[in-house]
Amino acid sequence: MSVLYDRVALIGLGLIAGSMALAMKRAGLAREVVGHARSAETRQVARDIGLCDRITESAAEAVEGADLVVLCVPVGAMAAVAAEIGPALKPGATLSDVGSVKRAVIDAVTPHIPQDVHFVPAHPLAGTEHSGPRSGFPELFDGRWCLIVPAEGTDEAAVARLETLWQGIGALTDRMEADHHDLVLAVTSHAPHLIAYTMVGVADDLRRVTDSEVIKYSAAGFRDFTRIAASDPTMWRDVFLNNKDATLEILGRFTEELFALQRAIRTGDGDHLHAYFTRTRAIRRSIIEAGQDTDAPDFGRGKQV
Ligand code: NAP
């Protein structure tokens, strides 16, 4: 593939930015990738492992002359970073982000963007429980969805170019409206993470009365929960604080269903349980058929959203 952007600036150098940098290099999509991270330690690691062509001391310096700027920081940090880089953005440049929540990020970032910069928010549905500059790998986005969430009236050429970039680094792309994105993600990612955090928390409490057997005899179901519950605390705190309504809506429904299953267990309603589990098993099948996971018995170990 040929060069799509002359200079790309990545702000925040963790799992997502690192994977983007490596995948852009793999595909030759940017002539130069410039990076900035808030801590001197992360900047040094990024230099040591050659993550970007150039690492700058400030975010404003990184975006100077960049044709594409991607904010790869936790959702709660987007506003402050946008305020810092806003005045330094090049006229005609595209600004994007990879935040897991879209409405709150759009509201936080938009006031800081000059009129002549195209803001095209995005969210790659790919990740692992690891974070930091050493955690990225070029295959992270291969075959995974990246949702592009442009506001109405955004320059079509800028949106199409960003889509081509994501496709070039392995992803499938789709466009989605911000509120709809937040509801879909509350179901597929945010509520499941909260449930995993809760289950691991309960097991941890129980560990004290079961003398560590929870860890020693940890079976697949619990182990999969622990992987999800090992995800970055800052990132997930920000997701819940910024996708409040949709997450609470889904958790409300979850609680109702849980009560219904609880009652079926109490009353010995095996038909209810069997019918429910048959329905959920079919969902697993459709995810595999859609190519979003494999049928391997250790499902989910490699990648998650
Ligand atoms: P990460 O590995 O933890 O890296 C985050 C980066 O942001 C680090 O370079 C960190 O700098 C910087 N940062 C943290 N707090 C900051 C602040 N207050 N101000 C400025 N910079 C700050 O995170 P990630 O997994 O790449 O996630 C980045 C974004 O992608 C988040 O918005 C997340 O919601 C989204 N996302 C994540 C996943 C996933 O599964 N991980 C998937 C899709 C989208 P230091 O290292 O210097 O602290």
Side-chain angles (χ1 to χ4, degrees), residues 90-215:
K90 174 173 136 175
T94 294
L95 173 67
S96 188
D97 76 289
V98 293
S100 305
V101 177
K102 295 280 50 109
R103 175 59 63 201
V105 169
I106 292 168
D107 291 348
V109 169
T110 306
H112 305 290
I113 312 170
Q115 286 286 326
D116 52 9
V117 167
H118 310 295
F119 182 32
V120 188
H123 177 203
L125 307 188
T128 73
E129 67 276 30
H130 302 297
S131 52
R134 292 188 193 275
S135 60
F137 55 99
E139 301 84 13
L140 178 64
F141 309 112
D142 289 353
R144 311 309 297 259
W145 286 100
C146 180
L147 300 176
I148 314 283
V149 187
E152 236 173 83
T154 308
D155 183 70
E156 178 53 34
V159 179
R161 186 135 66 124
L162 188 73
E163 278 172 335
T164 308
L165 176 89
W166 277 104
Q167 290 159 7
I169 59 178
L172 310 162
T173 60
D174 226 341
R175 294 189 192 185
M176 206 178 262
E177 190 276 326
D179 294 317
H180 189 65
H181 165 279
D182 290 354
L183 182 63
V184 170
L185 266 292
V187 179
T188 58
S189 172
H190 305 168
H193 270 79
L194 199 74
I195 293 160
Y197 279 123
T198 313
M199 195 56 230
V200 176
V202 168
D204 187 47
D205 289 343
L206 264 178
R207 194 150 61 113
R208 287 170 210 131
V209 287
T210 58
D211 204 16
S212 296
E213 284 150 326
V214 169
I215 301 295

Side-chain angles (χ1 to χ4, degrees), residues 11-17 36-40 42-43 71-75 77-78 81 98-101 123-128 130-133 135 232 234-236 239 304-305:
I11 310 300
L13 294 172
L15 170 71
I16 301 296
H36 168 76
R38 131 188 100 154
S39 71
T42 297
R43 295 198 293 272
L71 306 182
C72 304
V73 298
V75 167
M78 296 279 182
V81 172
V98 293
S100 305
V101 177
H123 177 203
L125 307 188
T128 73
H130 302 297
S131 52
S135 60
D232 188 70
T234 305
M235 169 186 158
W236 283 97
V239 165
Q304 63 158 100
V305 173

